[in-house]
Structure formats: structure tokens, C-alpha cells
Amino acid sequence: MTADSSQSLKFTSVSVGSFFDQVSQAYDDSIRKAIPPYLEMFDALLGYCFFATDKPLQILELGCGTGNLSVLLKERFPQARLTLVDLSADMLKQASDKLGGEGAQIRLVQSGFMDLSLEPGQFDMVISSVALHHLMDDEKPVLYQRMFQWLKPGGLFRCADETLNVPRSIQDENMARWAVWARQNGAQDSDINLWTEHAEQYDHYAPLSDHFRWLTQSGFINVDCYWRKLMWTVFGCARPL
Ligand SMILES: C[S@@+](CC[C@H](N)C(=O)[O-])C[C@H]1O[C@@H](n2cnc3c(N)ncnc32)[C@H](O)[C@@H]1O
């Protein structure tokens, strides 16, 4: 076994939550290098959160990680109550530290997305960044059906995530472009290898057209894509009134 292949086997026996526990300290630095348009993607996502900034919103964030989007949500909607969900205790701990800990406006839930049991009709918005692609393709439509129930009528779903470019040749081309762009953005071989190996083991990208079909079948309307660069995609929809 070469050093490289032993490195690539490092995470085979651990769950995605344990993977993120292990990388949580290095996550913020590494992800900003590995996703060059990380902050631009958040800008696009937040630009489509059509709510008055002083509204006491109920927001559910799926896969909050270290809280980078959560902090921006809190700045944009200071009266909002955020329910932050993540499988990784260590990622949640960092989100909690950034947001000043659990309290009246922050609820932390350590759970898998598919294990969540939430009251129906309570959220104004469900939002997620770079997280839902960890679900298998047969889980995504089930989660979308549940999200529909968790939202209030008129509530919004907003998502930034990696989606599969079609045809496959474009995906392959974009993966090559990504490695060049990430290196220009400061990523080292260790960052590229970390996220490439992670993707091979834990990521399940679906084409945007599949997401649109699953969302429409779940009852959502106004399903649309707002922004896209390589595989990073911002899309969303609404529960009808
Ligand atoms: C790539 S990080 C994204 C974190 C953050 N949203 C961001 O944009 O930087 C993905 C996060 O989703 C969480 N996650 C992945 N699969 C999950 C699942 N099935 N249930 C709950 N959390 C999950 C991971 O623990 C991790 O913190």
C-alpha cells in the first residue's frame, strides 16, 4: 500500500458526522480555500431570503457546520430564532461558540437530517449550505416532503449545495477547473486531497433537474435556480399559501 492510498483509506470506517468531528478545527480555513466562491454563494443565498429584516422569523438550518451561514443569518435577521441541526457535535460546538451559545434565539440540535422529528408548520424558512448532498438520492425526496410539512404556508426553502453537472463530461471538466481554481485560491494539496477523498466516500450529488422534480412532487412552487458556478448551486422554492 502506498502512502497515498493509506491516506485515502483514513475515513472509510467512520460516519460523515465523525469525519466532520475530525476536521472541525481545520474546517473554516480549508473550506474557504476549497470553495473559492464560498462567500459569494452565501451572498446569493441571502439575497433570495425575502423577509423583512426585523421579523421574528423561525429559521431551520440543516447542516450548520461551524456556523458560517448561521452568523450571517443572525446579522441579517437579528430577531430570528435559529434552529441549527448538525450530526457533528464538534461542528455544532463551534457554531455555538460563534453565536454566543444556546439561548432564546438559538436552538442546537445534534441529529441526522432523516432522524429529525419536528412540529409541522412552524418554520418561515428552511435553509442549508453544502450539506444536503451527504444524503443518498432516495433520502433527498423524503427530506423534501418532510421540509414541506415543517414550513408554514408561504414559507421558503433556500439551498446552496453542490449539484451534478450534466452530461458527465461537463462534471469531469468542472472538477478539473475546480482543482485549478482552489489552488489559485490558496488551497494546498492537503486541502484538495481531503475534499476529493471526502467526496468519493460521502458525497452524493444529484442533477439540479432531479432536485426540481423532487421539490415539485413534494408540493413546492416557484422552484428555481438563483446562482451557479461550476457545481455550486443556489436554488429554492416556496410552500404555497
Ligand atoms: C460541508 S459542511 C457545511 C457546513 C456549513 N453549512 C457551511 O456552509 O460551511 C456539511 C455539514 O453537514 C453535516 N451533515 C452532513 N450530513 C448530515 C446528516 N445526514 N445529518 C445532519 N448533518 C449532516 C456535517 O456534519 C457538516 O457539519
Side-chain angles (χ1 to χ4, degrees), residues 134-182:
H134 294 106
L135 293 176
M136 305 295 286
D137 279 2
D138 60 352
E139 295 175 310
K140 292 178 186 113
V142 177
L143 183 72
Y144 287 165
Q145 288 160 23
R146 293 181 188 168
M147 276 175 11
F148 186 91
Q149 298 300 331
W150 298 333
L151 282 166
K152 297 174 185 175
L156 304 181
F157 170 54
R158 295 291 183 258
C159 185
D161 206 356
E162 295 180 43
T163 59
L164 192 68
N165 296 113
V166 287
R168 184 80 214 185
S169 56
I170 294 184
Q171 177 74 12
D172 294 342
E173 175 76 15
N174 280 348
M175 289 305 289
R177 287 184 186 153
W178 160 69
V180 172
W181 194 12

mmCIF file of all heavy atoms in Angstrom, residues 134-182:
data_model
loop_
_atom_site.group_PDB
_atom_site.id
_atom_site.type_symbol
_atom_site.label_atom_id
_atom_site.label_comp_id
_atom_site.label_asym_id
_atom_site.label_seq_id
_atom_site.Cartn_x
_atom_site.Cartn_y
_atom_site.Cartn_z
ATOM 1 N N HIS A 134 -24.915 15.164 1.260
ATOM 2 C CA HIS A 134 -24.461 13.983 2.006
ATOM 3 C C HIS A 134 -25.550 12.928 2.108
ATOM 4 O O HIS A 134 -25.265 11.790 2.486
ATOM 5 C CB HIS A 134 -23.979 14.397 3.407
ATOM 6 C CG HIS A 134 -22.747 15.247 3.361
ATOM 7 N ND1 HIS A 134 -22.764 16.607 3.598
ATOM 8 C CD2 HIS A 134 -21.465 14.935 3.056
ATOM 9 C CE1 HIS A 134 -21.541 17.091 3.448
ATOM 10 N NE2 HIS A 134 -20.735 16.095 3.119
ATOM 11 N N LEU A 135 -26.782 13.294 1.787
ATOM 12 C CA LEU A 135 -27.865 12.298 1.780
ATOM 13 C C LEU A 135 -27.811 11.479 0.496
ATOM 14 O O LEU A 135 -27.413 11.985 -0.558
ATOM 15 C CB LEU A 135 -29.226 13.005 1.856
ATOM 16 C CG LEU A 135 -29.545 13.728 3.162
ATOM 17 C CD1 LEU A 135 -30.873 14.464 3.033
ATOM 18 C CD2 LEU A 135 -29.575 12.745 4.333
ATOM 19 N N MET A 136 -28.277 10.239 0.602
ATOM 20 C CA MET A 136 -28.420 9.403 -0.590
ATOM 21 C C MET A 136 -29.570 9.965 -1.440
ATOM 22 O O MET A 136 -30.464 10.649 -0.918
ATOM 23 C CB MET A 136 -28.750 7.958 -0.201
ATOM 24 C CG MET A 136 -27.772 7.330 0.767
ATOM 25 S SD MET A 136 -26.123 7.144 0.076
ATOM 26 C CE MET A 136 -26.404 5.766 -1.031
ATOM 27 N N ASP A 137 -29.580 9.614 -2.724
ATOM 28 C CA ASP A 137 -30.611 10.174 -3.604
ATOM 29 C C ASP A 137 -32.017 9.705 -3.243
ATOM 30 O O ASP A 137 -32.989 10.409 -3.543
ATOM 31 C CB ASP A 137 -30.300 9.845 -5.070
ATOM 32 C CG ASP A 137 -29.277 10.817 -5.630
ATOM 33 O OD1 ASP A 137 -28.808 11.701 -4.869
ATOM 34 O OD2 ASP A 137 -28.925 10.692 -6.815
ATOM 35 N N ASP A 138 -32.142 8.551 -2.601
ATOM 36 C CA ASP A 138 -33.509 8.146 -2.209
ATOM 37 C C ASP A 138 -33.939 8.817 -0.904
ATOM 38 O O ASP A 138 -35.125 8.782 -0.552
ATOM 39 C CB ASP A 138 -33.641 6.616 -2.123
ATOM 40 C CG ASP A 138 -32.684 5.997 -1.112
ATOM 41 O OD1 ASP A 138 -31.807 6.713 -0.584
ATOM 42 O OD2 ASP A 138 -32.819 4.791 -0.843
ATOM 43 N N GLU A 139 -33.003 9.435 -0.187
ATOM 44 C CA GLU A 139 -33.365 10.153 1.041
ATOM 45 C C GLU A 139 -33.786 11.602 0.747
ATOM 46 O O GLU A 139 -34.617 12.165 1.468
ATOM 47 C CB GLU A 139 -32.179 10.175 2.019
ATOM 48 C CG GLU A 139 -31.788 8.795 2.537
ATOM 49 C CD GLU A 139 -30.539 8.843 3.412
ATOM 50 O OE1 GLU A 139 -29.519 9.454 2.984
ATOM 51 O OE2 GLU A 139 -30.580 8.276 4.505
ATOM 52 N N LYS A 140 -33.188 12.188 -0.309
ATOM 53 C CA LYS A 140 -33.436 13.625 -0.554
ATOM 54 C C LYS A 140 -34.925 13.914 -0.750
ATOM 55 O O LYS A 140 -35.451 14.841 -0.122
ATOM 56 C CB LYS A 140 -32.609 14.098 -1.755
ATOM 57 C CG LYS A 140 -31.103 14.114 -1.474
ATOM 58 C CD LYS A 140 -30.302 14.535 -2.708
ATOM 59 C CE LYS A 140 -28.812 14.404 -2.479
ATOM 60 N NZ LYS A 140 -28.158 13.384 -3.289
ATOM 61 N N PRO A 141 -35.647 13.153 -1.610
ATOM 62 C CA PRO A 141 -37.072 13.489 -1.769
ATOM 63 C C PRO A 141 -37.882 13.287 -0.494
ATOM 64 O O PRO A 141 -38.849 14.015 -0.255
ATOM 65 C CB PRO A 141 -37.555 12.540 -2.878
ATOM 66 C CG PRO A 141 -36.482 11.546 -3.097
ATOM 67 C CD PRO A 141 -35.215 12.104 -2.540
ATOM 68 N N VAL A 142 -37.464 12.331 0.338
ATOM 69 C CA VAL A 142 -38.176 12.116 1.614
ATOM 70 C C VAL A 142 -37.971 13.330 2.520
ATOM 71 O O VAL A 142 -38.915 13.835 3.141
ATOM 72 C CB VAL A 142 -37.684 10.816 2.304
ATOM 73 C CG1 VAL A 142 -38.357 10.636 3.662
ATOM 74 C CG2 VAL A 142 -37.910 9.608 1.400
ATOM 75 N N LEU A 143 -36.734 13.827 2.567
ATOM 76 C CA LEU A 143 -36.474 15.026 3.371
ATOM 77 C C LEU A 143 -37.271 16.211 2.827
ATOM 78 O O LEU A 143 -37.835 17.000 3.601
ATOM 79 C CB LEU A 143 -34.979 15.362 3.393
ATOM 80 C CG LEU A 143 -34.651 16.566 4.276
ATOM 81 C CD1 LEU A 143 -34.785 16.211 5.758
ATOM 82 C CD2 LEU A 143 -33.251 17.114 4.014
ATOM 83 N N TYR A 144 -37.339 16.358 1.507
ATOM 84 C CA TYR A 144 -38.086 17.480 0.927
ATOM 85 C C TYR A 144 -39.569 17.405 1.325
ATOM 86 O O TYR A 144 -40.192 18.431 1.619
ATOM 87 C CB TYR A 144 -37.936 17.498 -0.597
ATOM 88 C CG TYR A 144 -36.560 17.954 -1.084
ATOM 89 C CD1 TYR A 144 -36.155 17.736 -2.396
ATOM 90 C CD2 TYR A 144 -35.686 18.622 -0.234
ATOM 91 C CE1 TYR A 144 -34.906 18.160 -2.847
ATOM 92 C CE2 TYR A 144 -34.433 19.049 -0.669
ATOM 93 C CZ TYR A 144 -34.054 18.805 -1.983
ATOM 94 O OH TYR A 144 -32.821 19.233 -2.420
ATOM 95 N N GLN A 145 -40.130 16.194 1.336
ATOM 96 C CA GLN A 145 -41.540 16.053 1.764
ATOM 97 C C GLN A 145 -41.703 16.478 3.228
ATOM 98 O O GLN A 145 -42.675 17.139 3.588
ATOM 99 C CB GLN A 145 -41.996 14.601 1.600
ATOM 100 C CG GLN A 145 -42.192 14.182 0.155
ATOM 101 C CD GLN A 145 -42.152 12.667 -0.016
ATOM 102 O OE1 GLN A 145 -42.392 11.912 0.912
ATOM 103 N NE2 GLN A 145 -41.823 12.220 -1.229
ATOM 104 N N ARG A 146 -40.735 16.100 4.068
ATOM 105 C CA ARG A 146 -40.819 16.486 5.488
ATOM 106 C C ARG A 146 -40.643 17.992 5.658
ATOM 107 O O ARG A 146 -41.335 18.626 6.447
ATOM 108 C CB ARG A 146 -39.756 15.727 6.297
ATOM 109 C CG ARG A 146 -40.046 14.246 6.334
ATOM 110 C CD ARG A 146 -39.006 13.497 7.147
ATOM 111 N NE ARG A 146 -39.227 12.064 7.003
ATOM 112 C CZ ARG A 146 -38.370 11.137 7.389
ATOM 113 N NH1 ARG A 146 -37.230 11.470 7.965
ATOM 114 N NH2 ARG A 146 -38.647 9.862 7.218
ATOM 115 N N MET A 147 -39.693 18.574 4.884
ATOM 116 C CA MET A 147 -39.474 20.022 4.965
ATOM 117 C C MET A 147 -40.745 20.784 4.625
ATOM 118 O O MET A 147 -41.058 21.805 5.243
ATOM 119 C CB MET A 147 -38.395 20.444 3.963
ATOM 120 C CG MET A 147 -36.994 20.266 4.481
ATOM 121 S SD MET A 147 -35.761 20.631 3.218
ATOM 122 C CE MET A 147 -36.688 21.363 1.935
ATOM 123 N N PHE A 148 -41.455 20.281 3.616
ATOM 124 C CA PHE A 148 -42.728 20.915 3.212
ATOM 125 C C PHE A 148 -43.659 20.985 4.420
ATOM 126 O O PHE A 148 -44.310 22.005 4.660
ATOM 127 C CB PHE A 148 -43.363 20.101 2.079
ATOM 128 C CG PHE A 148 -44.597 20.718 1.492
ATOM 129 C CD1 PHE A 148 -44.526 21.578 0.408
ATOM 130 C CD2 PHE A 148 -45.857 20.440 2.026
ATOM 131 C CE1 PHE A 148 -45.674 22.158 -0.130
ATOM 132 C CE2 PHE A 148 -47.005 21.011 1.500
ATOM 133 C CZ PHE A 148 -46.913 21.863 0.425
ATOM 134 N N GLN A 149 -43.710 19.903 5.194
ATOM 135 C CA GLN A 149 -44.587 19.863 6.375
ATOM 136 C C GLN A 149 -44.083 20.801 7.471
ATOM 137 O O GLN A 149 -44.882 21.397 8.191
ATOM 138 C CB GLN A 149 -44.667 18.428 6.932
ATOM 139 C CG GLN A 149 -45.269 17.418 5.968
ATOM 140 C CD GLN A 149 -46.688 17.774 5.561
ATOM 141 O OE1 GLN A 149 -47.429 18.402 6.315
ATOM 142 N NE2 GLN A 149 -47.070 17.410 4.325
ATOM 143 N N TRP A 150 -42.759 20.908 7.644
ATOM 144 C CA TRP A 150 -42.216 21.739 8.728
ATOM 145 C C TRP A 150 -42.423 23.227 8.464
ATOM 146 O O TRP A 150 -42.444 24.031 9.393
ATOM 147 C CB TRP A 150 -40.704 21.476 8.903
ATOM 148 C CG TRP A 150 -40.364 20.066 9.280
ATOM 149 C CD1 TRP A 150 -41.161 19.182 9.955
ATOM 150 C CD2 TRP A 150 -39.138 19.376 9.014
ATOM 151 N NE1 TRP A 150 -40.503 17.993 10.113
ATOM 152 C CE2 TRP A 150 -39.260 18.072 9.550
ATOM 153 C CE3 TRP A 150 -37.943 19.716 8.379
ATOM 154 C CZ2 TRP A 150 -38.244 17.118 9.465
ATOM 155 C CZ3 TRP A 150 -36.918 18.782 8.291
ATOM 156 C CH2 TRP A 150 -37.074 17.490 8.829
ATOM 157 N N LEU A 151 -42.540 23.600 7.169
ATOM 158 C CA LEU A 151 -42.696 25.025 6.826
ATOM 159 C C LEU A 151 -44.122 25.497 7.066
ATOM 160 O O LEU A 151 -45.084 24.733 6.914
ATOM 161 C CB LEU A 151 -42.351 25.241 5.351
ATOM 162 C CG LEU A 151 -40.868 25.288 5.005
ATOM 163 C CD1 LEU A 151 -40.678 25.159 3.485
ATOM 164 C CD2 LEU A 151 -40.222 26.580 5.513
ATOM 165 N N LYS A 152 -44.234 26.796 7.398
ATOM 166 C CA LYS A 152 -45.557 27.423 7.413
ATOM 167 C C LYS A 152 -46.020 27.591 5.963
ATOM 168 O O LYS A 152 -45.164 27.702 5.061
ATOM 169 C CB LYS A 152 -45.469 28.828 8.034
ATOM 170 C CG LYS A 152 -45.027 28.854 9.468
ATOM 171 C CD LYS A 152 -44.839 30.310 9.923
ATOM 172 C CE LYS A 152 -44.283 30.356 11.330
ATOM 173 N NZ LYS A 152 -43.963 31.717 11.773
ATOM 174 N N PRO A 153 -47.342 27.689 5.716
ATOM 175 C CA PRO A 153 -47.778 28.060 4.368
ATOM 176 C C PRO A 153 -47.101 29.380 3.957
ATOM 177 O O PRO A 153 -47.018 30.312 4.760
ATOM 178 C CB PRO A 153 -49.300 28.230 4.535
ATOM 179 C CG PRO A 153 -49.639 27.332 5.693
ATOM 180 C CD PRO A 153 -48.454 27.418 6.632
ATOM 181 N N GLY A 154 -46.572 29.436 2.749
ATOM 182 C CA GLY A 154 -45.840 30.623 2.287
ATOM 183 C C GLY A 154 -44.374 30.609 2.672
ATOM 184 O O GLY A 154 -43.611 31.495 2.260
ATOM 185 N N GLY A 155 -43.951 29.609 3.460
ATOM 186 C CA GLY A 155 -42.549 29.532 3.887
ATOM 187 C C GLY A 155 -41.610 29.199 2.733
ATOM 188 O O GLY A 155 -42.025 28.662 1.702
ATOM 189 N N LEU A 156 -40.341 29.534 2.924
ATOM 190 C CA LEU A 156 -39.352 29.382 1.856
ATOM 191 C C LEU A 156 -38.329 28.290 2.181
ATOM 192 O O LEU A 156 -37.939 28.125 3.342
ATOM 193 C CB LEU A 156 -38.578 30.687 1.651
ATOM 194 C CG LEU A 156 -39.382 31.947 1.354
ATOM 195 C CD1 LEU A 156 -38.432 33.142 1.163
ATOM 196 C CD2 LEU A 156 -40.256 31.763 0.113
ATOM 197 N N PHE A 157 -37.897 27.588 1.148
ATOM 198 C CA PHE A 157 -36.725 26.716 1.252
ATOM 199 C C PHE A 157 -35.630 27.344 0.406
ATOM 200 O O PHE A 157 -35.851 27.695 -0.756
ATOM 201 C CB PHE A 157 -37.049 25.313 0.738
ATOM 202 C CG PHE A 157 -35.831 24.426 0.584
ATOM 203 C CD1 PHE A 157 -34.949 24.224 1.645
ATOM 204 C CD2 PHE A 157 -35.566 23.781 -0.618
ATOM 205 C CE1 PHE A 157 -33.827 23.407 1.505
ATOM 206 C CE2 PHE A 157 -34.446 22.960 -0.766
ATOM 207 C CZ PHE A 157 -33.579 22.777 0.295
ATOM 208 N N ARG A 158 -34.454 27.508 0.998
ATOM 209 C CA ARG A 158 -33.315 28.065 0.279
ATOM 210 C C ARG A 158 -32.110 27.162 0.496
ATOM 211 O O ARG A 158 -31.803 26.788 1.631
ATOM 212 C CB ARG A 158 -32.992 29.476 0.807
ATOM 213 C CG ARG A 158 -34.104 30.493 0.542
ATOM 214 C CD ARG A 158 -34.214 30.788 -0.942
ATOM 215 N NE ARG A 158 -35.191 31.790 -1.305
ATOM 216 C CZ ARG A 158 -36.398 31.530 -1.804
ATOM 217 N NH1 ARG A 158 -36.803 30.282 -1.958
ATOM 218 N NH2 ARG A 158 -37.206 32.500 -2.168
ATOM 219 N N CYS A 159 -31.426 26.842 -0.590
ATOM 220 C CA CYS A 159 -30.353 25.855 -0.508
ATOM 221 C C CYS A 159 -29.165 26.267 -1.367
ATOM 222 O O CYS A 159 -29.329 26.648 -2.531
ATOM 223 C CB CYS A 159 -30.886 24.500 -0.994
ATOM 224 S SG CYS A 159 -29.706 23.151 -0.821
ATOM 225 N N ALA A 160 -27.967 26.180 -0.788
ATOM 226 C CA ALA A 160 -26.723 26.281 -1.563
ATOM 227 C C ALA A 160 -26.062 24.914 -1.458
ATOM 228 O O ALA A 160 -25.848 24.434 -0.348
ATOM 229 C CB ALA A 160 -25.819 27.357 -0.976
ATOM 230 N N ASP A 161 -25.776 24.307 -2.582
ATOM 231 C CA ASP A 161 -25.183 22.969 -2.485
ATOM 232 C C ASP A 161 -24.481 22.613 -3.796
ATOM 233 O O ASP A 161 -24.606 23.323 -4.789
ATOM 234 C CB ASP A 161 -26.251 21.921 -2.163
ATOM 235 C CG ASP A 161 -25.667 20.708 -1.448
ATOM 236 O OD1 ASP A 161 -24.427 20.646 -1.270
ATOM 237 O OD2 ASP A 161 -26.445 19.825 -1.056
ATOM 238 N N GLU A 162 -23.742 21.520 -3.737
ATOM 239 C CA GLU A 162 -23.116 21.011 -4.948
ATOM 240 C C GLU A 162 -24.129 20.139 -5.676
ATOM 241 O O GLU A 162 -24.731 19.255 -5.067
ATOM 242 C CB GLU A 162 -21.875 20.209 -4.598
ATOM 243 C CG GLU A 162 -20.807 21.094 -3.975
ATOM 244 C CD GLU A 162 -19.546 20.336 -3.609
ATOM 245 O OE1 GLU A 162 -19.098 19.497 -4.402
ATOM 246 O OE2 GLU A 162 -19.033 20.576 -2.511
ATOM 247 N N THR A 163 -24.325 20.416 -6.955
ATOM 248 C CA THR A 163 -25.203 19.576 -7.766
ATOM 249 C C THR A 163 -24.393 19.055 -8.943
ATOM 250 O O THR A 163 -23.353 19.621 -9.311
ATOM 251 C CB THR A 163 -26.436 20.358 -8.276
ATOM 252 O OG1 THR A 163 -25.987 21.467 -9.062
ATOM 253 C CG2 THR A 163 -27.290 20.866 -7.124
ATOM 254 N N LEU A 164 -24.902 17.973 -9.503
ATOM 255 C CA LEU A 164 -24.163 17.282 -10.570
ATOM 256 C C LEU A 164 -24.388 17.987 -11.905
ATOM 257 O O LEU A 164 -25.533 18.195 -12.311
ATOM 258 C CB LEU A 164 -24.678 15.840 -10.648
ATOM 259 C CG LEU A 164 -23.889 14.861 -11.484
ATOM 260 C CD1 LEU A 164 -22.532 14.574 -10.845
ATOM 261 C CD2 LEU A 164 -24.670 13.557 -11.617
ATOM 262 N N ASN A 165 -23.297 18.362 -12.560
ATOM 263 C CA ASN A 165 -23.423 18.923 -13.905
ATOM 264 C C ASN A 165 -23.712 17.797 -14.890
ATOM 265 O O ASN A 165 -23.165 16.704 -14.764
ATOM 266 C CB ASN A 165 -22.132 19.619 -14.319
ATOM 267 C CG ASN A 165 -21.808 20.825 -13.456
ATOM 268 O OD1 ASN A 165 -20.836 20.822 -12.719
ATOM 269 N ND2 ASN A 165 -22.626 21.850 -13.525
ATOM 270 N N VAL A 166 -24.578 18.070 -15.849
ATOM 271 C CA VAL A 166 -24.841 17.074 -16.886
ATOM 272 C C VAL A 166 -24.535 17.685 -18.253
ATOM 273 O O VAL A 166 -24.768 18.875 -18.455
ATOM 274 C CB VAL A 166 -26.312 16.586 -16.854
ATOM 275 C CG1 VAL A 166 -26.553 15.688 -15.676
ATOM 276 C CG2 VAL A 166 -27.295 17.761 -16.833
ATOM 277 N N PRO A 167 -24.013 16.886 -19.199
ATOM 278 C CA PRO A 167 -23.639 15.489 -19.062
ATOM 279 C C PRO A 167 -22.393 15.327 -18.186
ATOM 280 O O PRO A 167 -21.773 16.308 -17.782
ATOM 281 C CB PRO A 167 -23.356 15.048 -20.501
ATOM 282 C CG PRO A 167 -22.878 16.296 -21.168
ATOM 283 C CD PRO A 167 -23.662 17.411 -20.539
ATOM 284 N N ARG A 168 -22.042 14.090 -17.922
ATOM 285 C CA ARG A 168 -20.934 13.736 -17.042
ATOM 286 C C ARG A 168 -19.622 14.409 -17.477
ATOM 287 O O ARG A 168 -18.785 14.776 -16.644
ATOM 288 C CB ARG A 168 -20.788 12.214 -17.057
ATOM 289 C CG ARG A 168 -19.743 11.674 -16.122
ATOM 290 C CD ARG A 168 -20.271 11.600 -14.706
ATOM 291 N NE ARG A 168 -19.203 11.881 -13.761
ATOM 292 C CZ ARG A 168 -19.330 11.795 -12.451
ATOM 293 N NH1 ARG A 168 -20.482 11.468 -11.917
ATOM 294 N NH2 ARG A 168 -18.325 12.057 -11.662
ATOM 295 N N SER A 169 -19.469 14.604 -18.800
ATOM 296 C CA SER A 169 -18.231 15.218 -19.300
ATOM 297 C C SER A 169 -18.073 16.638 -18.748
ATOM 298 O O SER A 169 -16.955 17.084 -18.469
ATOM 299 C CB SER A 169 -18.219 15.237 -20.831
ATOM 300 O OG SER A 169 -19.370 15.895 -21.308
ATOM 301 N N ILE A 170 -19.181 17.335 -18.573
ATOM 302 C CA ILE A 170 -19.089 18.696 -18.020
ATOM 303 C C ILE A 170 -18.718 18.626 -16.540
ATOM 304 O O ILE A 170 -17.925 19.430 -16.036
ATOM 305 C CB ILE A 170 -20.412 19.469 -18.224
ATOM 306 C CG1 ILE A 170 -20.639 19.690 -19.716
ATOM 307 C CG2 ILE A 170 -20.384 20.805 -17.478
ATOM 308 C CD1 ILE A 170 -21.855 20.522 -20.058
ATOM 309 N N GLN A 171 -19.288 17.653 -15.822
ATOM 310 C CA GLN A 171 -18.924 17.474 -14.412
ATOM 311 C C GLN A 171 -17.418 17.223 -14.288
ATOM 312 O O GLN A 171 -16.736 17.835 -13.461
ATOM 313 C CB GLN A 171 -19.714 16.290 -13.812
ATOM 314 C CG GLN A 171 -19.366 15.957 -12.377
ATOM 315 C CD GLN A 171 -19.924 16.960 -11.366
ATOM 316 O OE1 GLN A 171 -20.756 17.801 -11.696
ATOM 317 N NE2 GLN A 171 -19.452 16.884 -10.142
ATOM 318 N N ASP A 172 -16.901 16.312 -15.125
ATOM 319 C CA ASP A 172 -15.471 15.986 -15.059
ATOM 320 C C ASP A 172 -14.623 17.222 -15.372
ATOM 321 O O ASP A 172 -13.619 17.498 -14.706
ATOM 322 C CB ASP A 172 -15.140 14.841 -16.030
ATOM 323 C CG ASP A 172 -15.815 13.549 -15.605
ATOM 324 O OD1 ASP A 172 -16.239 13.450 -14.435
ATOM 325 O OD2 ASP A 172 -15.936 12.639 -16.453
ATOM 326 N N GLU A 173 -15.041 17.956 -16.397
ATOM 327 C CA GLU A 173 -14.339 19.189 -16.776
ATOM 328 C C GLU A 173 -14.364 20.187 -15.614
ATOM 329 O O GLU A 173 -13.348 20.802 -15.280
ATOM 330 C CB GLU A 173 -15.047 19.780 -18.009
ATOM 331 C CG GLU A 173 -14.545 21.118 -18.478
ATOM 332 C CD GLU A 173 -13.216 21.016 -19.224
ATOM 333 O OE1 GLU A 173 -12.823 19.903 -19.634
ATOM 334 O OE2 GLU A 173 -12.597 22.074 -19.374
ATOM 335 N N ASN A 174 -15.511 20.295 -14.970
ATOM 336 C CA ASN A 174 -15.641 21.260 -13.869
ATOM 337 C C ASN A 174 -14.839 20.840 -12.642
ATOM 338 O O ASN A 174 -14.342 21.701 -11.903
ATOM 339 C CB ASN A 174 -17.119 21.476 -13.512
ATOM 340 C CG ASN A 174 -17.783 22.445 -14.476
ATOM 341 O OD1 ASN A 174 -17.093 23.118 -15.253
ATOM 342 N ND2 ASN A 174 -19.095 22.522 -14.448
ATOM 343 N N MET A 175 -14.708 19.534 -12.417
ATOM 344 C CA MET A 175 -13.873 19.073 -11.299
ATOM 345 C C MET A 175 -12.416 19.473 -11.541
ATOM 346 O O MET A 175 -11.703 19.877 -10.613
ATOM 347 C CB MET A 175 -13.990 17.556 -11.113
ATOM 348 C CG MET A 175 -15.328 17.097 -10.561
ATOM 349 S SD MET A 175 -15.796 17.901 -9.013
ATOM 350 C CE MET A 175 -14.638 17.141 -7.888
ATOM 351 N N ALA A 176 -11.974 19.366 -12.802
ATOM 352 C CA ALA A 176 -10.602 19.770 -13.135
ATOM 353 C C ALA A 176 -10.440 21.282 -12.962
ATOM 354 O O ALA A 176 -9.438 21.765 -12.411
ATOM 355 C CB ALA A 176 -10.268 19.349 -14.559
ATOM 356 N N ARG A 177 -11.458 22.035 -13.397
ATOM 357 C CA ARG A 177 -11.417 23.501 -13.225
ATOM 358 C C ARG A 177 -11.407 23.867 -11.755
ATOM 359 O O ARG A 177 -10.765 24.835 -11.341
ATOM 360 C CB ARG A 177 -12.655 24.144 -13.868
ATOM 361 C CG ARG A 177 -12.627 24.156 -15.357
ATOM 362 C CD ARG A 177 -13.853 24.909 -15.830
ATOM 363 N NE ARG A 177 -13.967 24.853 -17.262
ATOM 364 C CZ ARG A 177 -15.118 24.943 -17.930
ATOM 365 N NH1 ARG A 177 -16.244 25.087 -17.272
ATOM 366 N NH2 ARG A 177 -15.138 24.903 -19.229
ATOM 367 N N TRP A 178 -12.175 23.090 -10.951
ATOM 368 C CA TRP A 178 -12.243 23.363 -9.512
ATOM 369 C C TRP A 178 -10.851 23.265 -8.870
ATOM 370 O O TRP A 178 -10.450 24.149 -8.108
ATOM 371 C CB TRP A 178 -13.192 22.368 -8.819
ATOM 372 C CG TRP A 178 -12.921 22.294 -7.347
ATOM 373 C CD1 TRP A 178 -13.171 23.283 -6.428
ATOM 374 C CD2 TRP A 178 -12.289 21.230 -6.624
ATOM 375 N NE1 TRP A 178 -12.738 22.879 -5.169
ATOM 376 C CE2 TRP A 178 -12.196 21.631 -5.279
ATOM 377 C CE3 TRP A 178 -11.803 19.964 -6.989
ATOM 378 C CZ2 TRP A 178 -11.626 20.807 -4.295
ATOM 379 C CZ3 TRP A 178 -11.248 19.150 -6.013
ATOM 380 C CH2 TRP A 178 -11.158 19.579 -4.685
ATOM 381 N N ALA A 179 -10.103 22.196 -9.227
ATOM 382 C CA ALA A 179 -8.797 21.995 -8.590
ATOM 383 C C ALA A 179 -7.871 23.175 -8.907
ATOM 384 O O ALA A 179 -7.132 23.658 -8.035
ATOM 385 C CB ALA A 179 -8.194 20.675 -9.043
ATOM 386 N N VAL A 180 -7.923 23.656 -10.148
ATOM 387 C CA VAL A 180 -7.076 24.797 -10.539
ATOM 388 C C VAL A 180 -7.496 26.048 -9.758
ATOM 389 O O VAL A 180 -6.660 26.767 -9.190
ATOM 390 C CB VAL A 180 -7.203 25.052 -12.066
ATOM 391 C CG1 VAL A 180 -6.490 26.344 -12.459
ATOM 392 C CG2 VAL A 180 -6.674 23.854 -12.851
ATOM 393 N N TRP A 181 -8.801 26.290 -9.717
ATOM 394 C CA TRP A 181 -9.348 27.487 -9.061
ATOM 395 C C TRP A 181 -9.047 27.457 -7.562
ATOM 396 O O TRP A 181 -8.660 28.466 -6.960
ATOM 397 C CB TRP A 181 -10.854 27.558 -9.322
ATOM 398 C CG TRP A 181 -11.501 28.872 -9.013
ATOM 399 C CD1 TRP A 181 -10.882 30.062 -8.749
ATOM 400 C CD2 TRP A 181 -12.904 29.128 -8.952
ATOM 401 N NE1 TRP A 181 -11.821 31.042 -8.530
ATOM 402 C CE2 TRP A 181 -13.066 30.498 -8.650
ATOM 403 C CE3 TRP A 181 -14.037 28.340 -9.143
ATOM 404 C CZ2 TRP A 181 -14.326 31.093 -8.521
ATOM 405 C CZ3 TRP A 181 -15.286 28.931 -9.013
ATOM 406 C CH2 TRP A 181 -15.423 30.286 -8.705
ATOM 407 N N ALA A 182 -9.229 26.279 -6.935
ATOM 408 C CA ALA A 182 -8.974 26.166 -5.494
ATOM 409 C C ALA A 182 -7.501 26.444 -5.188
ATOM 410 O O ALA A 182 -7.171 27.130 -4.215
ATOM 411 C CB ALA A 182 -9.391 24.777 -4.998
#
